[in-house]
Every structure is written in C-alpha cells, then in structure tokens.
C-alpha cells in the first residue's frame, strides 16, 4: 500500500514507454562503446576476404593474419565484456530526470522532513508534488549518445565500414570460401569426399581488351592471342590429376605436371590436356599479334601560307596503335649541288616528329594529320624522304613506304626576301659558306634601287647583320655554331620583315600586295598562299579607300567634280570593288592566271586613278575626323624625320655616297624628309620639312663634313623630334570621347607612340642614329595602330550596338550584328570570303578537336552524340 501511495511509482507507471526506450538507448550506448573495436575488426576482415586478398598473398600470410585477427578479436571482446553492464532502474530514472526542468522525478522521490504535522506545510508540499508530477508526465524518451569520437579519435571504424561497402560493391561473398580451403584437412576432406576436381582460367593480354575465359566452359578448339596466361588449380589427392601441354614451349626447369597450381603462357599452337578423373583436353590456336601498319596519304598533303605542313596518314593495328613518329631524312642524291649547296654539308640528325594519336576512340584503324611548321629548318624546300613509324602495345613496329618530297616550308615571293632566306640556308648548310653569304648579300644590297627595301629598318638590319657576320668570320676562331645560329635567326627575321613589309603608306602597301599576288601567280603558289595574299590585298585596299576618303574630306567639296563632267566619270561603290576582287580570286582558283593577271592590272590602274566623292551631309568634319587628320599629319612628319635620320646613318657608313643613294630614295617615303605625304601631296608639315632641308644645305656649306657638323644635324633632328612629341601629346589629350575596347586601344597605342618618340629623341641626343630609327619605326607603327583603333571606335559610335540603323551616309552599306554587309540590290549578306585569313586552318583544327572531345563524353545525350558522329564522319 505504501508503494501505491508513493507519487514516484504512480508517475513511473505512466512513463513506462519512455523509461523502456531510455533503457534500450543506454544499452546501445554501452554496447557501442564497449564493442566498437570488435565490429570494426570484423568489418575490415570481411572486406579483405570479399575482395580476395587471401588469393593474392601466400598461405603463410593468410594464416598469420587469421591468428593475429583472432587474437585481437578475443582481446577486444574480453575488454568489452568487462566494461559492459546493463543499466539499473535508478540509472534510467536519472538519465530521464536529467532532461526535465527541475528534476521532477527526484523531487517525487523525496519525503517531507519539516512541518509534516502542520496543515499549511502539508498543503504546500502536496502542491509541490502535484506540480512535479505534472512536469514528469511530459517526459519523453532520451536519445542515446552513440558518438565515439573520444574512443576512436582516428576514425578507424569509418575506415572499416568504407572497406566493407567497397567490398560489397566490387567484391564477392563467395570468395570467402577460398579461406576455408586453406584450413588444413578441411579442403582435403571435402575433396576426398567428392573426388578430385580442377578449375582454370585463360587471361588474354590486357592491351587486347578481351575477356577472361573459364576453362570449364570451353570445349574443342580455343582461339586466344599469343601471350595469354593460363592458370590451373587441382583439388583432391595430389597426383590424381596431371597436366600435359605443348602450347607454352617450356623447356628446362618445368614444374611437375601433378602440381596443385599450374601457370604458363601460350606461345604457340598445341594441345592442352588434363589427365585423371574428370579430365578434359583442348586444342589451342595461338593468334599472333600482327605488326601495326602505317601509310602516308600523299594526295591530301597541304602546306599553309606560313609554311605549316599538314600531312595526313593512316594507321591500323589489330589491337590498337600506341605511339608513332615521323622521320625526315635528307636525300643527297636529288639535291642540285650548286652555289652554296656545292660545299660538303655539316652533319645533321634527321628530323624526328611525334605522330598525333586520337585522344579518344578506337586506335585500331584511324586517320590523323601530322601538323608542323619546318620553315626555319636548314632543309626547308630541299629534297627529303619521309617515313612514318608506329608501335603497338606488344612493342612491334610498323614502317611506311618512303615518300620522296621537298620539305614543306614557307615560300617567299619578295625577291630580296627570297635572296636573304636562300643565303640563310647556305649558311646553315655549312659554316664554310659564311664568306660567300656575306659577299652575296652585300652585292644584292649595294646601292639599292627603289622598291628593293620596303623600309629603312629592313635595310639597316641587313647592314648590321653583314657587319656582324663579317666580324665573326674574320676572327681567328672562325664562325662558331652558336654564332651561326644567331646570324641565321637574324636573317630569318629580316626575310619575314621584307616579305610581310612594314609599309605605312596605304597606296604603297596596296601596290606591294598586288605585286606579291602577281608574283605568286607566276610561281604557281598554292591555294592557301594565294588566299592569304588575296586577303592581304583586300585589307590594303580598305586602308587605301579610308585614306582617300580622308583626303577628300580635306578638300573643298564645292569645287570637287567641276573639272570633269558626269558623262566621263564611272561611279563605283565599295561593293563593286569587292566584286572585282572576288572575280580575280575566282579566276585564280580556276587556274586562269592570265585573265587574273590582266584583271589585277586593271584593278591596280583603276585604284590609282580613282577619286573619292562624298555625299551630302559629309561636308563638315566631326571632332573625330579632325583628330584623325591631325594624327595622319603627325605620322607623315614622323616619317620625314625617320627618312632624314636614315640618310644621316647612310652617310656615316658610306661617306660621299649620299647623293647617289638619295636619288633612289627620292619620293619613297616621307619625300626625303620634306614633309611630303606618301601620295606625293604636300602636307601641312611641309614647311617644317622645307626648313629642315634648307638648314641641312646651309650647314653643309658652312661646315666641313666632320663630326661636329654631324652632331649639329643630330641635335636639330632631336629638337624636331621633341616638338613632334609635344604635338602628339597635345593631340592625345584633345581626343574626343571614344568608348568601348577600340577607343581604349587607340589611347594605349598613342601613349606607346609618345614613349617611342621620347626614346628616339634621347637616342638622337646621344648620337645613336640606329637606335633612333628603331624607336621612330615603333612610333610610326603605334600611330598607325592608334588610327586604326580610332576609326573602329568612330564606326561603333555611328552604328551603336549593330542594330542596323541607317545612321551613316546615304547609300553606305551598314553591317549587321555579325559584321556582315547588307549587300547590294537583291544580294543578301557580305561578299567577303569568311573562310579566308591566316588563322583559318588553326581555327578549323581547334573546332575538329573540340568535336572529338565532346564525342568522347559518354554522359551527353544520345541525340547530340549521334550528331557529333555524323560531323566526324563527314569532315
């Protein structure tokens, strides 16, 4: 009766479920903390067994592991049993009471010690008990704390659990049976009960990608690749089963035929037989690994305009090609041994290149392209023999048939550039040709006629190279290998400069482009070279038209057109010019070079005699156009200063020959420093140029030609250079607001031009004419770049966003958002050949590589993968 009156018993009777769950949680906590090493050890051992580790190590290692694991298991189990004890009722009540506010269960177990006889005190105690009973009635089961971070700070339990998960995913539970076979007497007793038995596998070489074969499933003839490994295991009484085979070709120390484990490699055709109860026999045919094969696809070889070679080849192998290479060897029998090549060549190793392999997909049969630029190699354009080599995974090699060809390289159509590159080849052929090379280059550059050198910078470079070559050759030790390579690199850079040109004058650049295109047609250039030169002609024509437009804006529009009647004038727009160039290119592509040459000459005459007229609304000049005109005038004055510095430098090298050479330079660029424009029109800077000329003449009369007079002339040039730099600074600060990337690029280019002018001024004051000419050339190049970027920025302002608004002059074609012209009449789209340019082959190669990469990604949708495969099949 006392227990029923106890308030705690009454409350705990109602809390039977929370107390039971809390008791179970305490048991779980103590089990986990006491026995976590046991189940971690069991999980790790199970993972190792299911992954088949026991089959990979010796039986001694397996037994050692089993004994150590068993011992550890016993220790951990005994330790856990000593630490584990079931929770008592008081511990459960204490755990549950600790989660309640005020510990109501402990309060209900208390008895009144003071005032038990007082009615008021009893009433207060009963109210307190009732309140604690209400709180205790809200108790809920306590969640167990299963964290083991203190007991297992290194997370060994997670390592074991991860191994078990990996074993369940990639292993097999049946592999645990192999452990039982290792127990002494167990396997023997089972084998004796069931009789002798065997099992075996055939493992083809990994590179073949073929699956393993289970011998029990095979019958009759087995065809497997050479090098396949056979593994046999005999179970039961030793000697009951034996092996006889003729496929391995083993001799000498051969393991006994009755051994429980047999391993050998298939090397030839033969028979394999297991003698004894349940034995079988097979006829094995060894499939030989064929050597890879490769061949050069001669008809599809191409050479880009810059000399980049594209040589397709086809390779195949029964299991796949691993690597390959290309070897170019010089064919001495086919070389025309004349001139510089008459000397015995210095020994050089053959050219060896790595063949490109497919990044993804099957390599058993594929076609790839060897891309390399060998233009700077000494054997460029000389007869060579190309041979390809491929290798498979077995180490076998396959060689292609030798192909005779001229080593593909860049072609030079400028006569002076071609001469420089030829002498570079002779120098690399043998250092004994150094004296001859210096003499030939000095002969072809002696008193150069007009047009032989496109810029003073190129002529100066040639003279510097000649002095270096002659100084190295005249030294006692002769020309070393490093010095020869240094001179060869300088000659290559000079040849590229002569070929590509550094001409700022638009008309001269257009004439040069036409001459090079004409020369290319005469020399049967490739389609890529003609396309590149045609694109250069288009660019030069665009620059010339822009310069002619600026000239027309400077003239009085009211008087233009009065000198000729409308009946005697032929009006053409930019689209008509594009059509003419397209016609020329079409004739060249069709092989009608005579007609193309005639059309090119007519085009040249028309461009030289053309006059640019303006429509209404273009009579006034905008601030941007005025800035462009000022920069053009600054460029002309800088050109004049550069010409004067160049003539002074010539006078230093060859005193007394200035008059003869100046005749050749008259009117080329800068008009002998008189401030003339590049087109023969007097510029605004003519006055300064005339003053320069007059000052020069007076100086020659007043002073003897000596060092003092030369320093005075250089000081005058430095003052003029400083004034021109200040003028450019004023123009740069007064530029109109130009936004976008083109405007920012224009400002940066003009800043570079100003810095180059400052460097030229300093070089002139230090009597360094060569350095001044280089700085002036950089300044002119930066000025041209700034003007081009400024023109692009002005065009963007006239047609912002490319929305097709007709903000330009009437009749002027507007560009769409993709940069294409709207066309003329019924024509839609641009007349420009969008597939031309110097980067077309590189961009095409990048696109093909991207398509191949995406086609190898298996997670892409099937529709996209099919589309990519169709693209690869077609291209």
């Amino acid at each position: 009766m006392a227990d029923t009156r106890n308030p705690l018993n009454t409350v705990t009777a109602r809390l039977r479920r929370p107390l039971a769950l809390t008791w179970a949680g305490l048991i779980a906590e103590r089990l986990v903390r006491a026995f976590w090493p046991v189940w971690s050890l069991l999980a790790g051992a199970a993972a190792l067994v299911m992954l088949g580790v026991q089959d990979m190590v010796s039986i001694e290692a397996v037994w050692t592991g089993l004994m150590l694991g068993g011992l550890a298991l016993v220790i951990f189990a005994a330790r856990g049993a000593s630490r584990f004890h079931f929770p008592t009722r008081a511990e459960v009540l204490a755990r549950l009471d600790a989660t309640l506010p005020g510990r109501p269960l402990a309060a209900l177990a208390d008895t009144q010690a003071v005032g038990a006889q007082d009615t008021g005190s009893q009433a207060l105690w009963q109210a307190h008990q009732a309140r604690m009973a209400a709180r205790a009635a809200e108790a809920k089961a306590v969640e167990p704390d299963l964290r083991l971070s203190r007991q297992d700070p290194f997370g060994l339990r997670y390592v074991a659990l991860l191994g078990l998960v990996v074993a369940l995913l990639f292993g097999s539970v049946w592999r645990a049976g192999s452990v039982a076979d290792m127990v002494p007497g167990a396997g023997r007793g089972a084998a004796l009960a069931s009789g002798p038995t065997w099992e075996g596998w055939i493992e083809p070489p990994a590179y073949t990608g073929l699956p393993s074969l289970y011998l029990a499933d095979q019958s009759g003839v087995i065809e497997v690749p050479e090098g396949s490994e056979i593994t046999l295991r005999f179970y039961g009484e030793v000697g009951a089963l034996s092996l006889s085979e003729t496929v391995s070709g083993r001799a000498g120390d051969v393991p006994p035929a009755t051994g429980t484990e047999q391993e050998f490699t298939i090397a030839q055709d033969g028979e394999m037989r297991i003698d004894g109860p349940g034995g079988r026999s097979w006829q094995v045919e060894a499939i030989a690994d064929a050597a890879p094969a490769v061949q050069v696809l001669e008809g599809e070889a191409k050479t880009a305009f810059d000399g980049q070679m594209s040589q397709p080849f086809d390779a195949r192998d029964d299991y796949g090609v691993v690597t390959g290479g290309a070897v170019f060897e010089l064919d001495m029998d086919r070389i025309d041994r004349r001139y510089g090549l008459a000397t015995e060549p210095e020994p050089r190793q053959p050219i060896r290149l790595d063949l490109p392999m497919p990044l993804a997909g099957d390599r058993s049969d594929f076609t790839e392209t060897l891309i390399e630029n060998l233009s700077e190699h000494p054997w460029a354009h000389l007869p060579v023999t190309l041979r390809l080599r491929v290798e498979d995974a077995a180490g076998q090699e396959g060689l292609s048939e030798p192909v005779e060809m001229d080593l593909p390289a860049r072609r030079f159509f400028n006569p002076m550039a071609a001469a420089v590159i030829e002498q570079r080849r002779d120098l690399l052929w043998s250092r004994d040709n150094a004296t001859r090379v210096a003499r030939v280059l000095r002969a072809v550059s002696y008193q150069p006629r007009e047009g032989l050198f496109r810029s003073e910078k190129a002529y100066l470079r040639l003279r510097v190279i000649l002095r270096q070559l002659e100084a190295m050759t005249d030294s006692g030790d002769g020309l070393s290998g490093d010095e020869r390579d240094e001179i060869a690199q300088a000659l290559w850079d000079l040849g590229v400069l002569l070929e590509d040109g550094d001409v700022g004058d638009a008309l001269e650049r257009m004439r040069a482009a036409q001459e090079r295109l004409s020369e290319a047609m005469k020399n049967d250039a490739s389609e890529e070279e003609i396309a590149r030169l045609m694109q250069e002609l288009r660019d030069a024509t665009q620059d010339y038209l822009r310069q002619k437009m600026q000239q027309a804006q400077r003239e009085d529009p009211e008087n233009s057109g009065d000198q000729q009647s409308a009946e005697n004038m032929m009006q053409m727009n930019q689209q008509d010019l594009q059509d003419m160039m397209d016609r020329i290119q079409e004739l060249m592509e069709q092989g009608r070079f005579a007609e193309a040459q005639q059309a090119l000459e007519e085009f040249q005459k028309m461009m030289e005699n053309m006059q640019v007229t303006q429509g209404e609304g273009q009579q006034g000049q905008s601030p941007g156009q005025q800035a462009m005109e000022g920069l053009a005038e600054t460029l002309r004055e800088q050109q004049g200063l550069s010409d004067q510095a160049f003539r002074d430098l010539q006078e230093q090298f060859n005193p007394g020959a200035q008059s003869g050479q100046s005749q050749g330079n008259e009117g080329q660029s800068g008009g002998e420093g008189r401030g003339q424009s590049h087109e023969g029109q007097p510029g605004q800077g003519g006055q300064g140029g005339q003053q320069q000329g007059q000052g020069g003449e007076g100086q020659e009369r007043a002073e003897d030609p000596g060092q003092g007079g030369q320093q005075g002339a250089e000081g005058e040039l430095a003052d003029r250079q400083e004034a021109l730099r200040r003028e450019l600074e004023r123009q740069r600060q007064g530029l109109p607001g130009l936004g976008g990337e083109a405007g920012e690029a224009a400002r940066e280019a003009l800043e570079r031009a100003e810095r180059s002018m400052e460097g030229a001024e300093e070089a002139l004051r230090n009597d360094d004419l060569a350095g001044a000419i280089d700085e002036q050339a950089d300044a002119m190049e930066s000025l041209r770049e700034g003007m081009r970027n400024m023109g692009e920025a002005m065009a963007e302002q006239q047609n912002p966003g490319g929305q097709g608004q007709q903000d330009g002059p009437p009749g002027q074609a507007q560009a769409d958002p993709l940069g294409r012209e709207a066309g003329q009449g019924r024509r839609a789209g641009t007349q420009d050949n969008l597939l031309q340019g110097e980067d077309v082959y590189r961009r095409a190669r990048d696109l093909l590589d991207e398509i191949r990469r995406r086609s190898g990604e298996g997670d892409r949708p099937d529709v996209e993968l099919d589309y990519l495969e169709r693209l690869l099949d077609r291209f």
Side-chain angles (χ1 to χ4, degrees):
M1 295 298 292
D3 291 340
T4 58
R5 291 193 302 270
N6 189 348
L8 180 60
N9 295 335
T10 304
V11 172
T12 54
R14 293 196 299 267
L15 297 178
R16 186 174 302 167
R17 178 180 175 82
L19 287 173
L21 294 177
T22 304
W23 180 73
L26 282 173
I27 294 177
E29 280 185 19
R30 296 179 180 183
L31 284 174
V32 169
R33 292 178 180 177
F35 295 101
W36 72 266
V38 176
W39 59 258
S40 298
L41 182 60
L42 292 175
L48 294 176
V49 170
M50 285 189 288
L51 290 175
V53 176
Q54 69 278 4
D55 298 332
M56 305 177 187
V57 297
S58 63
I59 189 172
E60 291 80 6
V62 174
W63 272 104
T64 302
L66 286 175
M67 288 188 294
L68 292 177
L71 181 61
L73 185 64
V74 171
I75 294 175
F76 291 148
R79 182 183 178 187
S82 64
R83 292 184 177 184
F84 176 78
H85 62 276
F86 283 94
T88 62
R89 184 173 183 272
E91 292 175 341
V92 176
L93 288 174
R95 170 64 69 87
L96 185 62
D97 194 24
T99 62
L100 299 175
R103 293 187 174 270
L105 294 179
L108 290 175
D110 294 340
T111 58
Q112 186 177 3
V114 180
Q117 302 302 325
D118 184 29
T119 306
S121 297
Q122 290 181 357
L124 181 60
W125 179 255
Q126 291 176 0
H128 172 66
Q129 292 284 326
R131 182 177 297 175
M132 293 298 103
R135 288 185 181 179
E138 299 176 355
K140 296 181 180 180
V142 182
E143 295 183 1
D145 185 9
L146 302 179
R147 290 175 297 179
L148 297 174
S149 56
R150 292 184 179 179
Q151 290 78 8
D152 183 18
F154 299 105
L156 299 178
R157 63 193 185 282
Y158 294 124
V159 175
L161 181 60
L162 176 62
L164 182 60
V165 172
V166 172
L168 291 174
L169 292 176
F170 303 102
S172 174
V173 180
W174 304 109
R175 289 190 175 182
S178 60
V179 179
D181 296 338
M182 297 181 182
V183 179
R188 179 178 177 85
L192 291 175
S194 60
T197 185
W198 58 269
E199 61 179 350
W201 303 268
I202 301 179
E203 292 281 350
Y207 66 84
T208 62
L210 299 177
S212 301
L213 301 178
Y214 190 58
L215 272 176
D217 297 336
Q218 309 300 318
S219 62
V221 180
I222 304 177
E223 295 181 355
V224 291
E226 285 185 2
S228 300
E229 294 185 357
I230 295 182
T231 302
L232 287 172
R233 288 182 181 176
F234 297 155
Y235 306 107
E237 184 179 358
V238 178
L241 297 174
S242 63
L243 170 69
S244 62
E245 54 85 15
T246 58
V247 296
S248 65
R250 295 180 293 179
D253 187 11
V254 180
T258 58
T260 57
E261 291 190 8
Q262 301 282 344
E263 292 184 358
F264 54 92
T265 302
I266 297 177
Q268 60 189 14
D269 296 343
E271 183 183 6
M272 183 174 60
R273 185 175 68 253
I274 298 177
D275 299 323
R280 303 219 352 228
S281 64
W282 301 270
Q283 191 69 29
V284 179
E285 293 184 0
I287 303 175
D289 189 350
V294 61
Q295 64 177 0
V296 180
L297 304 180
E298 300 182 48
E300 303 178 10
K302 295 180 180 180
T303 304
F305 65 91
D306 60 349
Q308 180 172 272
M309 169 192 65
S310 298
Q311 178 60 64
F313 65 92
D314 179 76
R316 54 192 176 277
D317 184 65
D318 44 4
Y319 298 115
V321 176
V322 175
T323 184
V327 179
F328 293 87
E329 295 182 347
L330 189 64
D331 192 349
M332 297 294 297
D333 296 335
R334 295 192 295 122
I335 295 179
D336 187 5
R337 301 295 298 276
R338 295 188 298 170
Y339 310 116
L341 301 181
T343 308
E344 285 300 318
E346 297 179 4
R348 287 188 179 273
Q349 295 295 327
I351 304 174
R352 301 183 183 276
L353 304 175
D354 293 332
L355 291 180
M357 296 287 118
L359 299 178
D362 188 14
R363 291 190 179 183
S364 60
D365 190 357
F366 64 91
T367 300
E368 273 289 346
T369 303
L370 174 62
I371 299 177
E372 190 68 31
N373 195 330
L374 302 173
S375 299
E376 298 187 39
H377 196 274
W379 297 347
H381 296 298
L382 291 180
V384 294
T385 301
L386 170 62
R387 197 160 194 178
L388 305 183
R389 176 193 58 83
V390 291
E391 183 179 343
D392 61 5
Q396 302 180 101
E397 291 188 354
L399 297 177
S400 67
E401 293 295 330
V403 176
E404 295 181 352
M405 60 188 304
D406 291 342
L407 188 65
R410 176 175 179 173
R411 299 184 63 183
F412 290 83
F413 299 101
N414 181 277
M416 191 64 196
V420 169
I421 297 301
E422 181 181 354
Q423 296 309 306
R424 173 185 179 271
R425 181 204 64 187
D426 294 346
L427 182 62
L428 291 173
W429 180 264
S430 175
R431 280 174 283 181
D432 296 338
N433 288 329
T435 304
R436 179 183 180 276
V437 169
R439 291 176 179 175
V440 171
L441 290 178
R442 187 168 291 279
V444 298
S445 61
Y446 177 71
Q447 291 188 352
R449 61 180 178 82
E450 180 179 357
L452 184 60
F453 289 94
R454 298 186 182 276
S455 66
E456 299 84 352
K457 186 176 182 180
Y459 178 76
L460 177 62
R461 281 191 182 183
L462 178 59
R463 288 299 179 183
V464 172
I465 293 172
L466 282 175
R467 289 200 305 272
Q468 292 178 349
L469 179 59
E470 291 170 348
M472 294 175 182
T473 305
D474 295 340
S475 63
D477 298 334
L479 193 65
S480 66
D482 295 338
E483 292 174 342
R484 184 266 316 275
D485 295 339
E486 179 183 354
I487 295 296
Q489 184 61 44
L491 289 174
W492 173 264
D493 296 337
L494 175 60
V496 173
L497 177 61
L498 291 169
E499 178 71 12
D500 295 340
D502 189 16
V503 184
D505 181 86
L507 179 59
E508 188 66 23
R509 181 185 173 198
M510 187 179 65
R511 289 173 178 170
Q514 292 170 350
E515 292 174 1
R516 293 171 64 183
L517 181 59
S518 177
E519 191 71 20
M521 288 189 292
K522 294 178 182 178
N523 295 337
D524 297 331
S526 63
E527 295 182 1
E528 291 79 8
E529 292 170 335
I530 291 180
R532 173 240 183 174
L533 295 174
M534 194 67 201
Q535 184 64 33
E536 183 179 345
L537 177 59
R538 294 176 186 271
D539 296 340
T541 304
Q542 293 291 339
D543 293 341
Y544 177 65
L545 290 176
R546 184 177 66 251
Q547 194 176 79
K548 291 288 288 184
M549 181 65 70
Q550 293 174 359
Q551 178 187 353
Q553 291 174 356
R554 293 193 297 267
E555 295 177 354
D556 186 4
E558 296 180 358
N559 298 329
S560 61
D562 294 342
Q563 299 176 0
Q564 297 181 8
S565 62
E567 291 80 2
N568 297 329
M569 297 177 60
M570 179 179 64
Q571 297 182 358
M572 300 184 68
N573 55 26
Q574 189 172 0
Q575 182 61 47
D576 296 330
L577 297 178
Q578 294 292 341
D579 292 341
M580 291 185 65
M581 287 189 286
D582 291 342
R583 178 57 179 169
I584 294 173
Q585 185 171 359
E586 182 180 356
L587 291 173
M588 289 188 294
E589 292 175 353
Q590 295 176 358
R592 299 157 64 180
F593 293 108
E595 299 179 28
Q597 181 68 27
Q598 182 179 359
L600 184 61
E601 294 175 357
E602 295 176 357
F603 176 78
Q604 180 177 357
K605 293 178 181 179
M606 182 195 67
M607 293 300 296
E608 292 179 358
N609 298 326
M610 72 176 298
Q611 293 183 358
V612 179
T613 60
Q614 306 178 72
E616 297 180 359
Q618 288 185 334
Q619 297 179 5
Q621 289 186 352
S622 64
Q625 294 170 343
Q626 294 177 359
M628 288 284 287
E629 182 178 349
L631 291 175
E633 185 62 32
T634 302
L635 177 60
R636 284 192 292 272
E637 293 183 5
Q638 182 62 74
Q639 183 69 62
L641 281 175
S642 179
D643 292 344
Q644 183 62 40
F646 178 66
R647 285 190 298 276
D648 291 347
L649 185 63
Q650 284 182 316
E651 181 64 22
Q652 289 184 3
F653 290 154
N654 191 9
Q658 180 180 4
S659 59
Q661 292 184 4
S662 63
Q663 293 176 2
N665 285 333
E666 181 74 34
Q668 281 186 18
S669 182
E672 283 286 318
R674 294 181 176 86
Q676 294 179 0
S677 68
H678 297 278
E679 298 170 10
Q681 301 294 337
Q684 294 179 2
Q687 185 177 357
Q690 292 171 3
Q691 290 176 359
Q692 173 198 353
Q694 293 172 2
E697 294 172 2
Q699 195 170 14
E700 291 176 359
R701 291 193 300 268
E703 300 180 1
D704 294 334
Q707 185 68 21
Q710 187 65 33
Q711 291 179 353
E714 293 169 4
E716 181 184 356
L717 288 178
D719 294 338
R720 293 180 57 199
Q721 184 67 71
E722 180 182 5
L724 190 60
R725 178 182 60 81
R726 296 183 182 276
E727 175 64 19
L728 177 60
E729 181 180 3
R730 184 192 64 79
Q731 293 174 348
R732 183 173 60 82
Q733 294 176 354
L735 287 179
L738 298 176
E741 297 181 359
E744 185 65 25
R747 295 186 184 90
E748 293 177 357
L750 295 181
E751 290 178 0
R752 292 196 302 270
E754 186 177 343
R755 290 194 297 268
S756 298
M757 288 183 178
E758 185 176 0
E761 175 190 347
E762 182 178 357
L764 288 173
R765 297 193 186 280
N766 294 332
D767 299 335
D768 184 8
L769 287 175
I773 292 175
D774 287 339
E775 293 288 349
Q776 289 170 343
D778 295 338
M780 289 186 289
E781 181 62 29
S782 299
L783 276 173
R784 297 184 190 107
E785 182 180 354
M787 294 173 64
R788 286 195 296 268
N789 294 328
M790 188 174 175
E792 295 177 2
M794 293 170 59
E796 292 177 359
Q797 285 186 349
Q798 293 177 359
N799 187 17
Q803 300 298 326
Q805 299 174 356
Q806 298 294 333
D807 296 335
Q812 182 177 352
Q814 301 293 327
D816 66 358
L818 297 179
R820 299 171 297 189
E821 299 296 336
Q824 298 290 336
R826 297 182 178 180
R827 299 178 181 177
T830 180
Q831 294 295 318
D832 294 337
N833 194 339
L834 299 181
L835 293 179
Q836 295 206 9
E838 298 184 1
D839 297 332
V840 58
Y841 296 100
R842 180 184 59 80
R843 289 189 286 111
R845 179 69 181 179
D846 293 343
L847 288 175
L848 186 58
D849 291 342
E850 180 65 18
I851 293 175
R852 287 175 176 168
R853 184 187 66 79
R854 295 191 180 188
S855 64
E857 297 177 357
D859 55 346
R860 292 185 176 274
D862 294 338
V863 177
E864 182 179 355
L865 292 176
D866 294 341
Y867 174 71
L868 295 174
E869 289 295 333
R870 290 198 301 271
L871 288 178
L872 291 175
D873 292 341
R874 181 174 183 181
F875 298 105

